[in-house]
Amino acid sequence: MLTLAGGIACAGLRVDLVVGKAEGDFAEQVPGNVRVFDLDAPRVLATLPRLAHYLRRQRPDVLYAALDHANMIAICARILSRSRARVFVSVRNTLSVKVRGSHSRREQLLPAFARRVYPLADGIVAVSEGVRRDLVQHIGLSPPLVRVMPNPVVTPQLLELAGHDPGHAWFEPGEPPVILAAGRLTPQKGFQTLLHAFDRVRQRHPCRLVILGEGPQRDALEAMVQRLGIEGCCDLHGFTSNPFAYMRRARLFVLSSAWEGLPGVLIQAMACGTAVLSTDCPSGPREILDGGRLGTLVPVADPDALAQAMI
């Protein structure tokens, strides 16, 4: 969204970035030509009256939202404010699979709300053909309402940042090859499968694993690293503002997700010139890798198949 906002602003349009809270890992990366509006809300639902107020006061021509809960708030805020702004929403995940993998009651209700609310938008952006197909077949949206537009994730800045030194001893010349993964530490990303697979690989080949990202599964994954006895060759490195320097120097990038929408990190690793492999999860990897022509695809949650592909 930051890339898109900066690109639209460079095209000569005024762009506001409206956020629930102006904080987080990317807060310092907002382009200088983009104005930030902080709704200062404790949760997404609380942004509704504040976003409606923004629409009444600032009167934008277009409101573009991303992620399911924020999408629905955006559509409702347009109605509440009686704004004339056109509202477009971007769906970034395969919703039906996301819901099946969640135990949250709030998440379980998403498809029902999407069926009622999404048709009130002026348009729906799916980030991949798989996401578009899911919205039409499983959510029941009208096909003409949904258009595919992949996220803009490869920029000139990415290639510049890829040339930097990651400052990690494992990437120094002469060290064993490094396998890299990146993403929030959540069940969606399948890092438990990756750790099991890596344990098999390192028993046959000297290698190391670096996982970039933070999230609620950190404690569980750290405990798993200890149980497998791989703490000396596995680094849960946390968030980094420049993952591309790691991608450029990794021997292999692995996406182990159970589901996705369009995994930007897979595209970015390829842009850095790194060999990639991915689970054949819904949706995105099969499209990105051209059915397996540009990188290996393996079944979801299959550590043996993942290990063999990594080897």
Side-chain angles (χ1 to χ4, degrees):
M1 290 297 275
L2 294 179
T3 301
L4 188 61
I8 294 172
C10 285
L13 299 174
R14 283 178 49 199
V15 179
D16 290 346
L17 182 68
V18 185
V19 294
K21 271 193 175 296
E23 61 185 22
D25 295 321
F26 295 99
E28 301 302 317
Q29 299 182 32
V30 178
N33 54 0
V34 172
R35 187 171 58 164
V36 176
F37 273 83
D38 183 3
L39 301 181
D40 193 25
R43 57 190 185 280
V44 176
L45 185 60
T47 64
L48 177 56
R50 304 178 192 200
L51 182 57
H53 178 73
Y54 165 85
L55 292 174
R56 282 192 296 266
R57 292 292 301 271
Q58 301 298 325
R59 300 172 65 186
D61 298 296
V62 176
L63 176 63
Y64 184 53
L67 304 180
D68 293 302
H69 294 98
N71 288 345
M72 295 179 194
I73 291 294
I75 295 168
C76 293
R78 194 260 298 268
I79 296 170
L80 182 64
S81 67
R82 299 183 180 178
S83 168
R84 294 185 179 181
R86 302 185 75 196
V87 176
F88 297 86
V89 298
S90 176
V91 180
R92 305 290 175 93
N93 248 321
T94 307
L95 187 54
S96 67
V97 183
K98 174 185 175 182
V99 168
R100 284 202 302 271
S102 172
H103 300 294
S104 164
R105 176 64 174 165
R106 189 176 68 167
E107 296 289 319
Q108 296 290 336
L109 292 172
L110 273 176
F113 282 117
R115 290 187 195 100
R116 300 289 293 273
V117 178
Y118 276 178
L120 302 177
D122 291 286
I124 299 168
V125 173
V127 295
S128 66
E129 178 58 35
V131 170
R132 188 202 69 82
R133 191 164 50 245
D134 184 71
L135 290 171
V136 171
Q137 294 179 354
H138 297 284
I139 307 303
L141 299 182
S142 170
L145 188 63
V146 187
R147 293 184 62 182
V148 176
M149 289 196 291
N151 289 332
V153 295
V154 177
T155 66
Q157 290 77 19
L158 179 153
L159 302 177
E160 177 189 343
L161 290 168
H164 292 187
D165 183 352
H168 193 298
W170 288 2
F171 291 89
E172 295 296 326
E175 292 295 319
V178 176
I179 299 163
L180 182 70
R184 271 182 53 77
L185 307 183
T186 63
Q188 174 187 356
K189 301 302 180 181
F191 288 137
Q192 291 181 328
T193 299
L194 176 59
L195 291 177
H196 279 300
F198 173 73
D199 185 38
R200 291 160 170 76
V201 174
R202 60 110 187 182
Q203 293 178 36
R204 293 181 55 179
H205 296 280
C207 59
R208 289 162 170 165
L209 174 66
V210 173
I211 299 177
L212 304 177
E214 270 304 340
Q217 268 203 318
R218 170 169 283 280
D219 289 345
L221 292 173
E222 287 179 341
M224 186 174 177
V225 167
Q226 294 286 334
R227 286 197 306 273
L228 293 172
I230 57 175
E231 57 268 31
C233 52
C234 177
D235 179 15
L236 300 178
H237 195 64
F239 176 83
T240 174
S241 60
N242 183 11
F244 316 119
Y246 294 78
M247 291 175 179
R248 173 68 62 87
R249 288 159 181 79
R251 180 68 62 86
L252 176 67
F253 183 88
V254 178
L255 186 90
S256 53
S257 297
W259 72 89
E260 286 285 351
L262 185 81
V265 288
L266 190 61
I267 300 169
Q268 290 165 335
M270 294 169 71
C272 292
T274 305
V276 299
L277 73 89
S278 173
T279 52
D280 191 11
C281 68
S283 300
R286 178 163 288 273
E287 296 174 46
I288 294 167
L289 299 180
D290 194 18
R293 188 177 66 85
L294 303 178
T296 304
L297 291 164
V298 300
V300 172
D302 188 335
D304 289 327
L306 186 59
Q308 187 57 46
M310 290 160 70
I311 290 168

